Amino acid sequence: MRIVVLPGDGIGPEIAAATTGVLRAASERFQLNVQIEEHPVGHESLRQFGATVRPGLLETVRSADGLILGPAATFDFKDEQSGEINPSKYFRKNLDLFANLRPARTYPGLQNRFGAFDLVVVRENTEGFYADRNMEQGNGELLVTADVAISLRRITRHCCERIAKAACQLAMNRRRRLTIVHKANVLKIGDGMFLDICRETARAYHGLGVDDILVDAMMAHVVRQPDRFDVIVATNMFGDILSDLTAELSGSLGLGGSLNVGAGHAMAQAAHGSAPDIAGRDVANPFSLILSTALLLAWHGERSGAARFEQAARAIENAVAAAIQGGRATRDVGGNLGTAATGRAIVEILASNDNKPV
C-alpha cells in the first residue's frame, strides 16, 4: 500500500510524525508493506512552490492507494489566484470524496458525563453551504454590495442518493439504526429533498430502523442520550457541526477520527484544525489523525480483500483505547505525555502481545 502524507500547518507536522510512526509499526507487525511518501502542503508548500498545493500533487495522490492530510491553516488562505488553496477542499473536490465518516465512541478510563456510546456521523462532503466547493466555476458566496452578502447552498439528487446509500450500508453492518438529520421545516425544498431521498433509499434495506430529527433538536438529543444513536446522516454543514459535538462528547475533539471516501479514493484527516497556538510545544493530541489512519487502512482492506489491513486497523484502535485506559496519552484525555511520547506509546502497545479490545 502506497500512502501519501501531507503534514500541513501548525500542529500538523507533529501529529503526522506520530501517526507515521504508528503506521510503520502496524505495517511491520501485519506485513502490510506500506510505503510512505511525504510532501508539503499549506504554508510550507506556499513558501517552496508559490502555492499551498503545488502543481502535480493531485496526480501523485491519485496514483497512490491512500492519502493522509494533516490540518492546514485554511483561514489564512483567502486568494486562490495567488496560490492560497484550501488543501482539504481541493482534495475532497478533485477526488470526489463525497462521504465523510466520523465515528465517535467513549473509552474506558476516560471520564464523560453522558454514558457509553458508539456512533458514526455520515456527512455529505461535496456540496451544501460550503460555498468554496459547491460550484463548477467560481464561488457560491457573493458580496452584492459592501453591506449585503449572499451564500448559495447546492443540494442535488445525485449527492443525496449516494450519501444516503453510504449511510444505509454502514448502518446495516452495525446496529441497523439510521437517523436522518435535517431542517426540512424551514429549508423545505433543499432539506425536503434530502429527507425524502434518504427515506426512499432506506426502504430498500430490510431490517433497517429509520427516524429523522430536526438539526436543532438533534443537538439536545445527542447530548441527553447519545447511546440512542448508531449511524447519523446529514448534509455538509450540519454533519460538520454535529460530528465535532459527538467527538467532544466522547472526551475530546482530539479523539475524532475522520475518513473522506469516494468511489476510488480515500483521505484520512484529523477532525480538528491546525491549532497554531500550541504548535511546536509537543502537547497536541495525535489520536484523531492516528484513528483516521486506522479508518484508511480498514477502507483499503475492505476494498482490496486483504484482511490484514482491517486487522491492523482494529489493532490501532485497540491500542489507542489501551493507551487512554492506562493514562499513556496527552493531557486533554487524562494522560501526561507529549505528542511524540503518545505516538511511541501506541507503537509499544502495538508491538506487545496484549493488544486486545478495550
Side-chain angles (χ1 to χ4, degrees):
M1 184 181 186
R2 178 171 154 259
I3 297 178
V4 172
V5 178
L6 310 176
D9 300 310
I11 62 172
E14 298 168 77
I15 65 172
T19 298
T20 53
V22 171
L23 183 56
R24 288 188 176 96
S27 178
E28 182 176 345
R29 176 176 171 183
F30 291 93
Q31 299 181 332
L32 306 181
N33 191 29
V34 170
Q35 301 167 48
I36 298 172
E37 182 178 328
E38 191 169 305
H39 298 273
V41 291
H43 280 296
E44 181 59 25
S45 178
L46 189 63
R47 186 185 68 80
Q48 289 188 34
F49 305 108
T52 53
V53 181
R54 66 166 176 79
L57 187 56
L58 179 61
E59 286 66 35
T60 299
V61 169
R62 276 188 174 138
S63 68
D65 297 303
L67 169 62
I68 299 173
L69 177 64
T74 54
F75 192 74
D76 295 347
F77 308 142
K78 303 183 186 302
D79 184 7
E80 288 200 3
Q81 301 305 314
S82 300
E84 297 177 354
I85 299 162
N86 176 346
S88 177
K89 180 268 294 191
Y90 181 83
F91 290 110
R92 289 180 185 184
K93 183 171 182 176
N94 286 288
L95 298 176
D96 196 22
L97 305 177
F98 65 86
N100 185 199
L101 311 180
R102 292 193 170 186
R105 53 159 290 195
T106 48
Y107 291 87
L110 181 59
Q111 277 190 336
N112 86 87
R113 293 169 290 172
F114 308 98
F117 67 88
D118 181 351
L119 57 82
V120 181
V121 175
V122 179
R123 166 195 174 197
E124 202 290 317
N125 213 24
T126 58
E127 53 178 16
F129 272 123
Y130 283 72
D132 63 344
R133 68 204 66 176
N134 66 12
M135 306 289 281
E136 177 64 26
Q137 198 170 42
N139 193 301
E141 197 165 42
L142 311 171
L143 189 63
V144 180
T145 73
D147 301 311
V148 179
I150 296 176
S151 299
L152 303 177
R153 183 175 78 142
R154 186 189 75 186
I155 300 291
T156 63
R157 176 169 295 275
H158 171 65
C159 290
C160 291
E161 287 175 343
R162 62 183 183 175
I163 198 64
K165 184 177 179 181
C168 289
Q169 290 174 341
L170 179 60
M172 291 299 288
N173 290 325
R174 286 174 51 93
R175 300 195 303 276
R176 298 193 171 200
R177 299 208 308 269
L178 177 70
T179 300
I180 307 163
V181 173
H182 62 94
K183 192 64 177 172
N185 61 328
V186 174
L187 301 169
K188 296 180 184 295
I189 298 174
D191 270 31
M193 183 168 70
F194 175 77
L195 176 59
D196 288 345
I197 290 171
C198 285
R199 285 172 171 168
E200 180 183 342
T201 302
R203 292 190 192 102
Y205 294 84
H206 302 293
L208 178 62
V210 181
D211 65 349
D212 66 88
I213 302 178
L214 294 172
V215 64
D216 45 340
M218 182 65 178
M219 297 301 171
H221 285 299
V222 79
V223 170
R224 184 184 304 122
Q225 195 179 6
D227 63 333
R228 167 183 168 184
F229 301 102
D230 180 23
V231 173
I232 302 165
V233 63
T235 53
N236 201 338
M237 184 170 287
F238 293 162
D240 190 9
I241 296 167
L242 181 60
S243 59
D244 279 2
L245 173 62
T246 55
E248 190 63 33
L249 292 179
S250 75
S252 170
L253 187 58
L255 297 173
S258 175
L259 187 69
N260 303 272
V261 181
H265 302 279
M267 176 175 75
Q269 182 181 24
H272 54 72
S274 61
D277 56 320
I278 60 170
R281 294 169 51 190
D282 192 42
V283 297
N285 184 347
F287 285 159
S288 181
L289 195 59
I290 290 170
L291 290 168
S292 301
T293 298
L295 294 171
L296 178 64
L297 293 179
W299 169 84
H300 180 74
E302 181 179 359
R303 186 166 176 260
S304 65
R308 64 189 184 278
F309 285 91
E310 296 179 84
Q311 293 165 0
R314 287 193 295 271
I316 292 171
E317 291 168 351
N318 294 340
V320 168
I324 292 171
Q325 189 172 44
R328 303 176 68 185
T330 48
R331 293 184 183 277
D332 63 307
V333 288
N336 58 10
L337 300 182
T339 309
T342 298
R344 290 194 295 270
I346 302 300
V347 169
E348 291 170 11
I349 295 169
L350 273 175
S352 72
N353 293 321
D354 188 24
N355 184 223
K356 300 172 183 177
V358 174

